[in-house]
Amino acid sequence: LYAAPGENQPAHKLYFYFETKINEDAIMGQDIINDVTLKFINTPDGDKEKESTPEEKPRVNTGGKKFKKVIENTESPLEDAVFTIKHQKDGTEPTDYNTLEDLKWTDDLIKANEEAIKAGKFATKDADKDIYTATSASNMPQKDQIIYLRSDENGEFEIKGLEYSSYTPQEWDGKKLVDMTEVLSLIHI
C-alpha cells in the first residue's frame, strides 16, 4: 500500500472490519457511540507510530418497546394478558399480516431481559397444551422458543434488546389469537 515518493500512483486504502457486541452496561434506547483508535506503523523502517480515529463515529442503536394493556372501553389495566411479538423477518415494513413471524428468543435477548425473565414478566408455553407459566429463575426460556410477554398488575409489558424494525404485539386468549380489533386497546408507552 505504500507508494514511494515521486511516484504518480493513486492512493490506496486499507479497510478494517470488526464486529462489536452490546454488553450488559448498554442502556436500551440510547445510542452507543462506537469509538475506536487504530495504532499503526506506516513506514518501511517501522520507526514512526501513528494513531487514527474515524472522523464520523458510527452509532449502535438499541431498542425495546413498552406497552400497556387495558380492559376494552376502560382505562383499567389488565394483568396477566399474554402476548407474542410479530415481526417482518427481513426487517422491512410489513405489508401483509400473514407474512409476519413470531419473535423468538436469542441468547442476546435472553441476556438483555434476564432480570425481567426472573421476575416473571414473560411466560413459557407448555408444548402439549395451551398453558402459559410465568418465567422465573427456575423457568427460563430457551433459545429459539417463541417469546411470550405477560402484562403486570399495571397492564404493562416490555421487551429490551430489539433491533430497529417494525413489531406487532399479538394477544393470546387461551387457545386462540384475540381478534386484532380488540388489540386496539393496547397503548404504546
Side-chain angles (χ1 to χ4, degrees):
L1 297 176
Y2 181 79
E7 289 184 20
N8 197 6
Q9 296 182 2
H12 296 280
K13 292 184 179 184
L14 181 62
Y15 294 92
F16 291 90
Y17 298 93
F18 55 92
E19 281 190 36
T20 58
K21 197 164 194 154
I22 297 172
N23 66 24
E24 60 276 357
D25 297 329
I27 299 170
M28 297 298 159
Q30 285 187 2
D31 286 350
I32 301 169
I33 305 298
N34 263 338
D35 195 3
V36 65
T37 300
L38 179 64
K39 292 184 179 183
F40 60 96
I41 296 174
N42 193 31
T43 59
D45 55 8
D47 67 350
K48 293 182 183 174
E49 187 175 287
K50 295 183 179 185
E51 282 190 13
S52 178
T53 303
E55 292 176 22
E56 187 176 327
K57 297 177 183 175
R59 296 177 185 273
V60 175
N61 298 312
T62 63
K65 194 65 184 168
K66 192 180 237 186
F67 300 92
K68 182 174 183 178
K69 172 66 178 168
V70 295
I71 298 171
E72 194 171 2
N73 300 321
T74 75
E75 290 300 314
S76 301
L78 182 60
E79 185 176 4
D80 289 328
V82 176
F83 297 85
T84 58
I85 302 289
K86 302 278 193 184
H87 71 115
Q88 189 77 23
K89 190 168 180 97
D90 63 7
T92 61
E93 195 68 30
T95 55
D96 179 3
Y97 185 77
N98 295 320
T99 64
L100 298 179
E101 297 183 8
D102 287 312
L103 189 62
K104 295 185 179 177
W105 287 111
T106 63
D107 290 333
D108 290 336
L109 282 172
I110 290 171
K111 189 173 182 178
N113 292 282
E114 186 172 7
E115 187 178 309
I117 291 169
K118 289 179 178 177
K121 296 186 178 191
F122 292 88
T124 57
K125 181 176 179 269
D126 184 292
D128 300 325
K129 304 173 190 159
D130 286 318
I131 298 173
Y132 300 93
T133 306
T135 55
S136 65
S138 61
N139 182 33
M140 297 287 287
Q142 301 298 312
K143 181 180 176 180
D144 296 324
Q145 287 181 332
I146 295 172
I147 297 174
Y148 296 99
L149 299 98
R150 289 180 62 236
S151 59
D152 64 16
E153 65 277 358
N154 298 314
E156 296 175 356
F157 62 98
E158 73 176 309
I159 186 165
K160 296 178 179 177
L162 297 176
E163 295 177 5
Y164 277 24
S165 186
S166 294
Y167 297 91
T168 303
Q170 180 69 68
E171 184 177 359
W172 284 87
D173 178 21
K175 297 182 180 182
K176 64 179 178 59
L177 288 171
V178 174
D179 183 353
M180 285 306 287
T181 57
E182 293 180 41
V183 180
L184 294 177
S185 57
L186 207 59
I187 302 170
H188 298 272
I189 52 177

